[in-house]
Protein backbone atom coordinates (compact mmCIF):
# COMPACT_ATOMS: atom_id res chain seq x y z
CA UNK A 1 0.00 0.00 0.00
CA UNK A 2 1.40 3.35 -1.04
CA UNK A 3 1.73 5.96 1.69
CA UNK A 4 0.42 9.25 0.34
CA UNK A 5 0.97 12.67 1.87
CA UNK A 6 -1.53 15.50 2.12
CA UNK A 7 -1.36 19.11 3.22
CA UNK A 8 -2.36 20.13 6.76
CA UNK A 9 -4.32 23.02 5.21
CA UNK A 10 -5.99 21.19 2.31
CA UNK A 11 -6.47 17.44 2.39
CA UNK A 12 -7.33 17.39 -1.32
CA UNK A 13 -3.74 18.40 -1.99
CA UNK A 14 -2.27 14.91 -2.12
CA UNK A 15 1.20 13.74 -3.23
CA UNK A 16 3.40 10.70 -3.27
CA UNK A 17 6.39 10.76 -0.92
CA UNK A 18 8.81 11.70 -3.69
CA UNK A 19 6.58 14.53 -4.88
CA UNK A 20 6.19 15.87 -1.33
CA UNK A 21 9.97 15.78 -0.83
CA UNK A 22 10.61 17.59 -4.11
CA UNK A 23 8.12 20.29 -3.28
CA UNK A 24 9.03 20.85 0.39
CA UNK A 25 6.05 22.98 1.42
CA UNK A 26 2.51 22.64 0.11
CA UNK A 27 1.33 25.45 -2.22
CA UNK A 28 -1.43 26.30 0.27
CA UNK A 29 1.10 27.07 3.01
CA UNK A 30 0.50 23.78 4.81
CA UNK A 31 2.91 20.95 5.59
CA UNK A 32 2.74 17.43 4.16
CA UNK A 33 1.79 14.61 6.55
CA UNK A 34 1.06 10.91 5.87
CA UNK A 35 -2.58 10.25 4.90
CA UNK A 36 -2.53 6.87 6.67
CA UNK A 37 0.10 6.75 9.35
CA UNK A 38 2.17 3.56 8.95
CA UNK A 39 2.57 1.04 11.78
CA UNK A 40 5.54 -1.23 12.36
CA UNK A 41 5.85 -4.33 14.46
CA UNK A 42 9.19 -3.43 16.02
CA UNK A 43 10.92 -6.61 17.16
CA UNK A 44 13.74 -5.50 19.45
CA UNK A 45 15.02 -9.02 19.95
CA UNK A 46 16.32 -8.64 16.39
CA UNK A 47 16.60 -4.85 16.17
CA UNK A 48 18.99 -4.61 19.13
CA UNK A 49 21.63 -6.09 16.83
CA UNK A 50 20.74 -3.98 13.78
CA UNK A 51 23.10 -1.33 12.46
CA UNK A 52 22.07 2.31 12.18
CA UNK A 53 21.88 1.87 8.41
CA UNK A 54 19.53 -1.12 8.73
CA UNK A 55 17.16 0.77 11.01
CA UNK A 56 17.25 3.87 8.77
CA UNK A 57 16.42 1.66 5.77
CA UNK A 58 13.49 0.10 7.63
CA UNK A 59 12.05 3.51 8.59
CA UNK A 60 12.56 5.12 5.18
CA UNK A 61 11.08 2.28 3.17
CA UNK A 62 8.04 2.31 5.44
CA UNK A 63 7.31 6.01 4.98
CA UNK A 64 8.72 6.62 1.50
CA UNK A 65 7.38 3.61 -0.31
CA UNK A 66 7.44 4.98 -3.83
CA UNK A 67 11.23 4.50 -3.65
CA UNK A 68 12.41 0.91 -4.04
CA UNK A 69 14.15 -0.83 -1.15
CA UNK A 70 17.36 -1.01 -3.17
CA UNK A 71 17.20 2.74 -3.94
CA UNK A 72 16.75 3.42 -0.23
CA UNK A 73 19.59 1.15 0.79
CA UNK A 74 21.95 2.84 -1.68
CA UNK A 75 21.01 6.30 -0.41
CA UNK A 76 21.34 5.24 3.24
CA UNK A 77 24.79 3.78 2.65
CA UNK A 78 25.93 6.93 0.83
CA UNK A 79 24.60 9.17 3.62
CA UNK A 80 25.59 7.30 6.78
CA UNK A 81 29.15 6.31 6.01
CA UNK A 82 32.53 7.93 6.33
CA UNK A 83 31.08 11.43 6.73
CA UNK A 84 30.39 10.40 10.35
CA UNK A 85 33.30 10.09 12.74
CA UNK A 86 31.77 7.20 14.73
CA UNK A 87 30.83 3.86 13.16
CA UNK A 88 27.66 3.69 15.31
CA UNK A 89 26.54 7.00 13.68
CA UNK A 90 24.46 7.86 16.78
CA UNK A 91 26.19 6.46 19.91
CA UNK A 92 24.18 6.11 23.12
CA UNK A 93 26.17 6.82 26.30
CA UNK A 94 25.32 6.48 29.97
CA UNK A 95 26.02 9.75 31.78
CA UNK A 96 25.15 9.74 35.48
CA UNK A 97 21.51 8.72 35.74
CA UNK A 98 20.58 9.42 32.12
CA UNK A 99 21.35 8.10 28.68
CA UNK A 100 22.68 10.54 26.12
CA UNK A 101 22.02 10.00 22.42
CA UNK A 102 24.84 11.74 20.56
CA UNK A 103 23.58 13.06 17.25
CA UNK A 104 26.54 15.31 16.48
CA UNK A 105 29.02 13.00 14.82
CA UNK A 106 28.35 14.21 11.28
CA UNK A 107 30.25 16.74 9.18
CA UNK A 108 28.92 19.94 10.79
CA UNK A 109 28.75 18.83 14.45
CA UNK A 110 24.99 19.22 14.93
CA UNK A 111 22.07 16.81 14.68
CA UNK A 112 20.95 18.47 11.45
CA UNK A 113 23.51 16.22 9.70
CA UNK A 114 21.41 13.17 10.57
CA UNK A 115 18.75 14.16 8.05
CA UNK A 116 20.62 16.55 5.77
CA UNK A 117 23.22 14.00 4.79
CA UNK A 118 20.46 11.97 3.12
CA UNK A 119 18.09 14.72 1.91
CA UNK A 120 20.14 15.61 -1.22
CA UNK A 121 20.09 11.95 -2.28
CA UNK A 122 16.32 11.75 -1.70
CA UNK A 123 15.83 14.97 -3.65
CA UNK A 124 17.88 13.82 -6.66
CA UNK A 125 16.21 10.42 -6.75
CA UNK A 126 12.79 12.07 -6.41
CA UNK A 127 13.55 14.42 -9.33
CA UNK A 128 14.53 11.46 -11.47
CA UNK A 129 11.46 9.46 -10.47
CA UNK A 130 9.13 12.30 -11.39
CA UNK A 131 10.92 13.26 -14.59
CA UNK A 132 11.77 16.71 -13.22
CA UNK A 133 14.46 18.36 -15.35
CA UNK A 134 14.23 21.83 -13.79
CA UNK A 135 16.94 23.08 -11.50
CA UNK A 136 15.95 22.60 -7.84
CA UNK A 137 16.67 25.68 -5.73
CA UNK A 138 16.84 24.91 -2.02
CA UNK A 139 15.69 27.97 -0.12
CA UNK A 140 16.49 27.80 3.57
CA UNK A 141 16.21 29.86 6.72
CA UNK A 142 18.58 28.78 9.47
CA UNK A 143 18.94 29.42 13.17
CA UNK A 144 22.59 28.38 12.75
CA UNK A 145 22.91 24.67 12.13
CA UNK A 146 20.54 23.78 9.27
CA UNK A 147 22.30 26.19 6.88
CA UNK A 148 25.73 24.65 7.20
CA UNK A 149 24.46 21.06 7.22
CA UNK A 150 22.28 21.69 4.16
CA UNK A 151 25.14 23.32 2.25
CA UNK A 152 27.50 20.49 3.17
CA UNK A 153 24.91 18.10 1.72
CA UNK A 154 24.01 20.04 -1.43
CA UNK A 155 27.39 21.60 -2.37
CA UNK A 156 28.08 20.84 -6.03
CA UNK A 157 25.14 18.42 -6.32
CA UNK A 158 24.17 18.62 -10.02
CA UNK A 159 20.87 20.28 -10.93
CA UNK A 160 20.64 22.06 -7.55
CA UNK A 161 21.38 25.46 -6.03
CA UNK A 162 21.12 26.34 -2.37
CA UNK A 163 20.45 29.73 -0.80
CA UNK A 164 20.75 30.11 2.99
CA UNK A 165 19.49 33.06 5.06
CA UNK A 166 20.75 33.36 8.63
CA UNK A 167 20.35 35.99 11.38
CA UNK A 168 23.63 37.89 11.19
CA UNK A 169 23.64 38.67 14.92
CA UNK A 170 21.93 35.49 16.09
CA UNK A 171 24.42 32.65 15.54
CA UNK A 172 27.61 31.63 17.36
CA UNK A 173 30.99 32.71 15.89
CA UNK A 174 31.76 29.09 14.99
CA UNK A 175 28.39 28.66 13.29
CA UNK A 176 28.95 31.86 11.28
CA UNK A 177 32.47 30.88 10.25
CA UNK A 178 31.28 27.41 9.22
CA UNK A 179 28.69 28.92 6.88
CA UNK A 180 30.76 31.81 5.51
CA UNK A 181 33.64 29.53 4.49
CA UNK A 182 31.39 27.03 2.67
CA UNK A 183 32.76 25.94 -0.70
CA UNK A 184 30.77 24.94 -3.76
CA UNK A 185 29.73 26.64 -6.99
CA UNK A 186 26.02 26.37 -6.23
CA UNK A 187 25.85 27.80 -2.68
CA UNK A 188 24.86 31.31 -1.60
CA UNK A 189 24.89 32.48 2.03
CA UNK A 190 23.13 35.68 3.06
CA UNK A 191 23.13 37.34 6.49
CA UNK A 192 20.00 39.27 7.41
CA UNK A 193 19.49 42.04 9.94
CA UNK A 194 16.63 40.19 11.62
CA UNK A 195 16.04 37.03 13.65
CA UNK A 196 15.28 33.45 12.58
CA UNK A 197 11.51 33.89 12.73
CA UNK A 198 11.71 36.79 10.28
CA UNK A 199 13.93 34.76 7.96
CA UNK A 200 11.56 31.77 8.14
CA UNK A 201 8.47 33.91 7.53
CA UNK A 202 10.03 35.57 4.47
CA UNK A 203 11.16 32.20 3.07
CA UNK A 204 7.65 30.75 3.54
CA UNK A 205 6.19 33.79 1.75
CA UNK A 206 8.48 33.16 -1.22
CA UNK A 207 7.38 29.52 -1.35
CA UNK A 208 3.74 30.60 -1.29
CA UNK A 209 4.04 33.32 -3.95
CA UNK A 210 2.34 32.16 -7.17
CA UNK A 211 4.02 34.95 -9.09
CA UNK A 212 7.52 33.93 -7.98
CA UNK A 213 6.76 30.25 -8.60
CA UNK A 214 5.74 31.06 -12.20
CA UNK A 215 8.80 33.22 -12.73
CA UNK A 216 10.97 30.36 -11.49
CA UNK A 217 9.22 27.89 -13.82
CA UNK A 218 9.75 30.19 -16.82
CA UNK A 219 13.44 30.13 -15.98
CA UNK A 220 13.55 26.34 -15.65
CA UNK A 221 13.74 26.35 -11.84
CA UNK A 222 11.66 25.30 -8.86
CA UNK A 223 12.02 25.78 -5.12
CA UNK A 224 12.33 23.14 -2.46
CA UNK A 225 13.07 23.28 1.24
CA UNK A 226 15.78 21.79 3.44
CA UNK A 227 14.04 22.95 6.62
CA UNK A 228 12.23 20.45 8.80
CA UNK A 229 9.02 21.60 7.11
CA UNK A 230 10.14 19.16 4.37
CA UNK A 231 8.92 15.63 5.16
CA UNK A 232 12.18 14.38 3.62
CA UNK A 233 13.99 16.04 6.46
CA UNK A 234 11.66 14.84 9.22
CA UNK A 235 11.32 11.12 8.49
CA UNK A 236 15.06 10.25 8.52
CA UNK A 237 15.05 11.61 12.10
CA UNK A 238 12.56 8.94 13.21
CA UNK A 239 15.29 6.34 12.72
CA UNK A 240 17.52 7.43 15.60
CA UNK A 241 14.74 7.16 18.16
CA UNK A 242 14.27 3.53 17.22
CA UNK A 243 18.02 3.02 17.16
CA UNK A 244 18.32 4.58 20.64
CA UNK A 245 15.69 2.22 22.03
CA UNK A 246 17.47 -0.75 20.44
CA UNK A 247 20.72 0.36 22.11
CA UNK A 248 18.95 0.67 25.49
CA UNK A 249 17.85 -2.94 25.08
CA UNK A 250 21.25 -4.09 23.91
CA UNK A 251 23.01 -2.33 26.80
CA UNK A 252 20.55 -4.09 29.16
CA UNK A 253 19.25 -0.79 30.52
CA UNK A 254 15.63 -1.73 29.82
CA UNK A 255 13.61 -4.83 29.10
CA UNK A 256 11.90 -5.15 25.73
CA UNK A 257 8.60 -3.27 25.75
CA UNK A 258 9.49 -1.02 28.71
CA UNK A 259 8.43 2.58 28.08
CA UNK A 260 11.08 5.29 28.13
CA UNK A 261 11.11 9.09 27.81
CA UNK A 262 13.06 11.27 25.44
CA UNK A 263 14.07 14.77 26.48
CA UNK A 264 14.49 16.86 23.34
CA UNK A 265 15.99 20.36 23.09
CA UNK A 266 13.38 22.03 20.92
CA UNK A 267 13.20 24.98 18.56
CA UNK A 268 11.21 24.47 15.37
CA UNK A 269 9.54 21.33 16.84
CA UNK A 270 11.06 19.09 14.15
CA UNK A 271 13.24 16.80 16.24
CA UNK A 272 10.59 16.16 18.90
CA UNK A 273 7.93 15.61 16.25
CA UNK A 274 10.12 12.87 14.78
CA UNK A 275 10.15 11.29 18.27
CA UNK A 276 6.35 11.50 18.35
CA UNK A 277 6.22 9.86 14.91
CA UNK A 278 8.44 7.07 16.27
CA UNK A 279 5.93 6.57 19.08
CA UNK A 280 3.02 6.51 16.61
CA UNK A 281 4.91 3.96 14.54
CA UNK A 282 4.99 1.65 17.57
CA UNK A 283 8.01 2.59 19.72
CA UNK A 284 7.38 2.11 23.48
CA UNK A 285 7.59 5.74 24.59
CA UNK A 286 6.01 7.07 27.77
CA UNK A 287 6.43 10.82 27.30
CA UNK A 288 8.36 13.31 25.23
CA UNK A 289 9.93 16.12 27.18
CA UNK A 290 9.76 19.34 25.17
CA UNK A 291 12.71 21.35 26.51
CA UNK A 292 13.02 25.06 25.64
CA UNK A 293 15.42 27.84 26.49
CA UNK A 294 14.28 31.31 27.62
CA UNK A 295 12.26 31.55 24.36
CA UNK A 296 9.72 29.35 26.12
CA UNK A 297 6.67 29.80 23.90
CA UNK A 298 6.20 26.01 23.68
CA UNK A 299 6.36 25.53 27.47
CA UNK A 300 3.47 27.97 27.81
CA UNK A 301 1.58 26.30 24.98
CA UNK A 302 1.77 22.82 26.50
CA UNK A 303 0.73 24.17 29.89
CA UNK A 304 -2.11 26.46 28.80
CA UNK A 305 -3.19 25.49 25.28
CA UNK A 306 -2.47 29.05 24.15
CA UNK A 307 0.29 29.72 21.61
CA UNK A 308 1.40 33.33 21.79
CA UNK A 309 4.40 34.61 19.87
CA UNK A 310 3.81 38.20 20.99
CA UNK A 311 6.64 38.33 23.51
CA UNK A 312 10.25 39.44 23.79
CA UNK A 313 12.71 37.53 21.63
CA UNK A 314 15.87 36.49 23.51
CA UNK A 315 19.29 35.78 22.01
CA UNK A 316 20.60 32.93 24.19
CA UNK A 317 23.59 30.63 24.54
CA UNK A 318 21.56 27.95 22.67
CA UNK A 319 20.94 30.01 19.50
CA UNK A 320 19.60 27.13 17.40
CA UNK A 321 16.56 27.13 19.68
CA UNK A 322 15.96 30.90 19.56
CA UNK A 323 12.63 30.53 17.79
CA UNK A 324 9.15 31.85 18.60
CA UNK A 325 7.25 30.32 15.66
CA UNK A 326 7.78 26.56 15.75
CA UNK A 327 6.70 25.50 12.26
CA UNK A 328 6.33 21.79 12.84
CA UNK A 329 3.80 22.29 15.62
CA UNK A 330 1.33 22.66 12.73
CA UNK A 331 1.63 18.92 12.06
CA UNK A 332 0.62 18.20 15.68
CA UNK A 333 -2.21 20.75 15.59
CA UNK A 334 -3.57 19.00 12.50
CA UNK A 335 -3.79 15.78 14.52
CA UNK A 336 -5.34 17.49 17.53
CA UNK A 337 -8.13 18.81 15.26
CA UNK A 338 -8.77 15.19 14.14
CA UNK A 339 -7.22 16.07 10.80
CA UNK A 340 -9.49 19.03 10.12
CA UNK A 341 -7.65 21.05 7.46
CA UNK A 342 -10.00 24.03 7.69
CA UNK A 343 -9.64 24.27 11.48
CA UNK A 344 -5.86 23.96 11.19
CA UNK A 345 -5.68 26.65 8.51
CA UNK A 346 -7.83 28.92 10.69
CA UNK A 347 -5.57 28.58 13.75
CA UNK A 348 -2.41 29.13 11.73
CA UNK A 349 -3.93 32.16 10.03
CA UNK A 350 -4.74 33.57 13.48
CA UNK A 351 -1.11 33.05 14.40
CA UNK A 352 0.16 34.99 11.41
CA UNK A 353 -2.44 37.77 11.71
CA UNK A 354 -2.80 38.20 15.50
CA UNK A 355 0.31 36.41 16.72
CA UNK A 356 -1.59 33.90 18.84
CA UNK A 357 -4.18 31.12 18.89
CA UNK A 358 -5.83 28.93 21.46
CA UNK A 359 -6.78 25.27 21.17
CA UNK A 360 -9.97 23.80 22.64
CA UNK A 361 -10.07 21.76 25.88
CA UNK A 362 -10.64 18.43 24.05
CA UNK A 363 -7.64 19.19 21.86
CA UNK A 364 -5.57 19.97 24.94
CA UNK A 365 -6.50 16.58 26.45
CA UNK A 366 -4.66 14.93 23.60
CA UNK A 367 -1.35 16.55 24.51
CA UNK A 368 -0.60 13.95 27.20
CA UNK A 369 2.21 12.41 25.13
CA UNK A 370 4.19 15.58 25.87
CA UNK A 371 5.42 17.38 28.94
CA UNK A 372 7.24 20.70 28.73
CA UNK A 373 9.71 22.83 30.63
CA UNK A 374 12.44 25.38 30.09
CA UNK A 375 15.91 26.31 31.34
CA UNK A 376 17.23 29.80 32.04
CA UNK A 377 20.69 30.93 30.94
CA UNK A 378 21.99 30.34 34.45
CA UNK A 379 20.43 26.88 34.66
CA UNK A 380 22.14 25.96 31.39
CA UNK A 381 25.56 26.96 32.74
CA UNK A 382 24.92 25.12 36.03
CA UNK A 383 23.82 21.99 34.15
CA UNK A 384 27.02 21.93 32.06
CA UNK A 385 29.13 22.63 35.15
CA UNK A 386 27.76 20.03 37.55
CA UNK A 387 27.51 17.36 34.86
CA UNK A 388 31.18 17.88 34.07
CA UNK A 389 32.16 17.89 37.75
CA UNK A 390 30.24 14.71 38.48
CA UNK A 391 30.80 12.67 35.31
CA UNK A 392 33.47 14.47 33.25
CA UNK A 393 30.97 14.50 30.36
CA UNK A 394 30.68 17.80 28.45
CA UNK A 395 27.27 19.02 27.27
CA UNK A 396 26.80 21.70 24.63
CA UNK A 397 24.29 24.40 25.73
CA UNK A 398 21.38 22.92 23.71
CA UNK A 399 21.80 19.47 25.22
CA UNK A 400 22.15 21.10 28.64
CA UNK A 401 18.66 22.57 28.20
CA UNK A 402 17.25 19.07 27.70
CA UNK A 403 19.18 17.68 30.65
CA UNK A 404 18.19 20.55 32.93
CA UNK A 405 14.50 20.19 32.11
CA UNK A 406 14.74 16.42 32.62
CA UNK A 407 16.15 17.02 36.11
CA UNK A 408 13.48 19.59 36.91
CA UNK A 409 10.70 17.17 35.96
CA UNK A 410 12.44 14.08 37.37
CA UNK A 411 10.25 11.43 35.70
CA UNK A 412 10.39 7.85 37.02
CA UNK A 413 10.98 6.16 33.64
CA UNK A 414 14.43 5.75 32.11
CA UNK A 415 15.13 8.79 29.98
CA UNK A 416 17.24 9.44 26.92
CA UNK A 417 18.54 13.00 26.66
CA UNK A 418 18.90 13.88 23.00
CA UNK A 419 22.24 15.59 22.39
CA UNK A 420 22.02 17.86 19.37
CA UNK A 421 25.44 19.50 19.12
CA UNK A 422 29.09 18.98 19.91
CA UNK A 423 30.39 21.20 22.75
CA UNK A 424 33.05 22.37 20.27
CA UNK A 425 30.36 24.16 18.32
CA UNK A 426 29.76 26.51 21.30
CA UNK A 427 33.13 26.42 23.08
CA UNK A 428 33.08 29.84 24.77
CA UNK A 429 29.89 29.15 26.71
CA UNK A 430 30.95 25.62 27.59
CA UNK A 431 34.39 26.75 28.74
CA UNK A 432 32.88 29.44 30.95
CA UNK A 433 30.88 26.70 32.67
CA UNK A 434 33.57 24.06 33.17
CA UNK A 435 36.76 26.07 33.64
CA UNK A 436 38.09 25.83 37.18
CA UNK A 437 37.59 29.12 39.04
CA UNK A 438 41.28 29.81 39.58
CA UNK A 439 41.92 29.69 35.83
CA UNK A 440 39.05 31.94 34.94
CA UNK A 441 39.77 35.51 33.89
CA UNK A 442 36.97 38.00 33.64
CA UNK A 443 37.34 38.14 29.88
CA UNK A 444 37.40 34.39 29.16
CA UNK A 445 33.91 34.15 27.66
CA UNK A 446 34.27 37.40 25.78
CA UNK A 447 37.48 36.18 24.16
CA UNK A 448 35.26 34.31 21.79
CA UNK A 449 34.84 30.84 20.44
CA UNK A 450 38.16 30.32 18.69
CA UNK A 451 40.37 31.11 21.66
CA UNK A 452 38.17 28.88 23.80
CA UNK A 453 38.71 25.80 21.63
CA UNK A 454 42.22 25.00 22.87
CA UNK A 455 41.33 25.54 26.53
CA UNK A 456 38.22 23.41 26.18
CA UNK A 457 40.32 20.64 24.67
CA UNK A 458 42.86 20.84 27.49
CA UNK A 459 40.33 20.88 30.32
CA UNK A 460 37.87 18.36 28.93
CA UNK A 461 40.30 16.03 27.16
CA UNK A 462 37.67 15.70 24.43
CA UNK A 463 39.07 14.95 20.96
CA UNK A 464 38.93 17.93 18.62
CA UNK A 465 36.61 17.15 15.70
CA UNK A 466 37.89 17.44 12.14
CA UNK A 467 35.28 20.14 11.37
CA UNK A 468 36.90 22.58 13.82
CA UNK A 469 40.50 22.17 12.70
CA UNK A 470 41.54 24.93 10.32
CA UNK A 471 38.15 26.63 10.56
CA UNK A 472 39.45 29.86 12.05
CA UNK A 473 41.88 30.48 9.18
CA UNK A 474 39.68 29.16 6.35
CA UNK A 475 38.88 31.63 3.55
CA UNK A 476 35.65 33.56 3.99
CA UNK A 477 33.78 33.22 0.68
CA UNK A 478 30.46 34.87 1.40
CA UNK A 479 29.95 38.55 2.19
CA UNK A 480 26.33 39.31 1.31
CA UNK A 481 24.04 40.84 3.93
CA UNK A 482 20.58 42.25 3.28
CA UNK A 483 17.61 43.69 5.14
CA UNK A 484 14.64 41.34 5.71
CA UNK A 485 12.61 43.23 3.06
CA UNK A 486 15.33 42.61 0.48
CA UNK A 487 15.43 38.83 0.80
CA UNK A 488 13.27 38.13 -2.24
CA UNK A 489 15.09 40.58 -4.50
CA UNK A 490 18.37 38.97 -3.42
CA UNK A 491 17.00 35.56 -4.43
CA UNK A 492 15.89 36.95 -7.81
CA UNK A 493 19.24 38.62 -8.34
CA UNK A 494 21.29 35.52 -7.49
CA UNK A 495 19.13 33.30 -9.70
CA UNK A 496 19.13 35.80 -12.57
CA UNK A 497 15.34 36.20 -12.50
CA UNK A 498 15.37 39.99 -12.49
C1 LIG B 1 18.08 22.87 15.22
C2 LIG B 1 18.62 22.58 16.56
C3 LIG B 1 17.77 22.35 17.66
C4 LIG B 1 16.27 22.45 17.56
O1 LIG B 1 15.71 21.41 16.77
P1 LIG B 1 14.24 21.56 16.17
O2 LIG B 1 14.07 20.40 15.27
O3 LIG B 1 14.26 22.87 15.42
O4 LIG B 1 13.29 21.59 17.30
C5 LIG B 1 18.34 22.01 18.88
N1 LIG B 1 19.68 21.96 19.02
C6 LIG B 1 20.52 22.18 18.00
C7 LIG B 1 21.98 22.12 18.23
C8 LIG B 1 20.02 22.49 16.73
O5 LIG B 1 20.86 22.71 15.72
Amino acid sequence: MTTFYHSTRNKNNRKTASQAILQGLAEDGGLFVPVNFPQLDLDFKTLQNATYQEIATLVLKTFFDDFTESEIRTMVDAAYGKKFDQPEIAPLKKVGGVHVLELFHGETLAFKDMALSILPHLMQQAAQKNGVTREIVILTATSGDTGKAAMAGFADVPQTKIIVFYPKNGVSPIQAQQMLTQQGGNVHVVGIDGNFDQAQTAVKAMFNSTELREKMAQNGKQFSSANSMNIGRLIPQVAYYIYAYAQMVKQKQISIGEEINFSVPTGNFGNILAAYYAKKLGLPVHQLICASNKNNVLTDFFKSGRYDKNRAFHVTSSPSMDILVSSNLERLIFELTKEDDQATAKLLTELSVDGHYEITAPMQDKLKDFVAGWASEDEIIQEIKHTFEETHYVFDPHTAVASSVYHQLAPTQKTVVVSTASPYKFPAVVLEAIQPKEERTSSSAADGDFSAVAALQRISGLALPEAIRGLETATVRHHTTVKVEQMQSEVERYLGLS
Side-chain angles (χ1 to χ4, degrees), residues 83 107 116 120 138 147-158 160-162 182-188:
K83 286 183 174 173
E107 264 184 300
L116 284 165
I138 309 293
K148 176 65 184 183
M151 288 190 290
F154 281 99
D156 292 327
V157 170
T160 70
K161 278 202 173 70
I162 170 160
Q182 176 66 44
Q183 304 191 22
N186 62 340
V187 307
H188 188 48

Side-chain angles (χ1 to χ4, degrees), residues 110-112 143 145 265-271 320-321 323 398 420-421:
F111 92 97
K112 305 297 197 291
S143 58
D145 290 328
T266 297
N268 222 2
F269 209 72
N271 203 359
S320 304
M321 295 157 65
I323 294 175
H398 302 76
T420 50

Side-chain angles (χ1 to χ4, degrees), residues 18-236:
S18 63
Q19 289 166 343
I21 291 166
L22 264 182
Q23 198 175 325
L25 257 81
E27 307 85 325
D28 48 60
L31 306 183
F32 289 115
V33 292
V35 174
N36 293 305
F37 204 93
Q39 300 283 306
L40 272 182
D41 186 13
L42 296 164
D43 170 16
F44 284 100
K45 263 202 198 87
T46 315
L47 286 176
Q48 62 177 307
N49 295 313
T51 62
Y52 190 85
Q53 292 82 351
E54 285 164 347
I55 289 180
T57 302
L58 174 68
V59 169
L60 291 176
K61 79 173 188 202
T62 304
F63 281 94
F64 297 159
D65 56 5
D66 66 330
F67 295 88
T68 67
E69 179 159 355
S70 102
E71 284 169 350
I72 291 201
R73 196 165 289 156
T74 306
M75 293 188 285
V76 162
D77 287 342
Y80 304 113
K82 55 186 182 312
K83 286 183 174 173
F84 285 78
D85 69 7
Q86 300 286 314
E88 305 98 307
I89 308 296
L92 182 79
K93 301 201 173 145
K94 186 141 201 276
V95 176
V98 296
H99 304 270
V100 177
L101 179 65
E102 295 186 346
L103 300 179
F104 53 77
H105 290 287
E107 264 184 300
T108 76
L109 308 182
F111 92 97
K112 305 297 197 291
D113 291 322
M114 299 303 296
L116 284 165
S117 52
I118 196 160
L119 186 65
H121 298 285
L122 286 166
M123 200 82 84
Q124 264 194 316
Q125 193 79 52
Q128 219 172 49
K129 210 172 269 299
N130 291 280
V132 171
T133 50
R134 291 176 188 158
E135 183 177 56
I136 313 277
V137 178
I138 309 293
L139 198 58
T140 293
T142 183
S143 58
D145 290 328
T146 287
K148 176 65 184 183
M151 288 190 290
F154 281 99
D156 292 327
V157 170
Q159 207 193 325
T160 70
K161 278 202 173 70
I162 170 160
I163 305 174
V164 170
F165 290 100
Y166 77 97
K168 177 172 83 187
N169 299 319
V171 301
S172 83
I174 298 243
Q175 287 177 315
Q177 184 75 354
Q178 278 187 318
M179 287 191 277
L180 297 176
T181 57
Q182 176 66 44
Q183 304 191 22
N186 62 340
V187 307
H188 188 48
V189 185
V190 183
I192 64 157
D193 67 348
N195 61 36
F196 171 75
D197 288 319
Q198 291 169 298
Q200 179 162 254
T201 302
V203 163
K204 277 190 192 170
M206 284 188 251
F207 272 107
N208 297 336
S209 158
T210 313
E211 195 192 331
L212 186 57
R213 197 178 311 130
E214 281 166 6
K215 216 169 182 178
M216 291 281 287
Q218 283 157 15
N219 284 270
K221 300 179 196 306
Q222 71 181 56
F223 285 131
S224 189
S225 166
N227 285 100
S228 51
M229 296 177 289
N230 192 324
I231 195 78
R233 168 80 190 271
L234 201 60
I235 298 303

Side-chain angles (χ1 to χ4, degrees), residues 291-296 299 318 373-380 400-402 404-405 408:
S292 300
N293 66 23
K294 202 174 171 190
N295 294 295
N296 55 2
T299 315
S318 47
W374 68 283
S376 68
E377 289 297 278
D378 189 50
E379 284 167 329
I380 293 171
V401 169
S404 171
V405 173
Q408 291 170 35

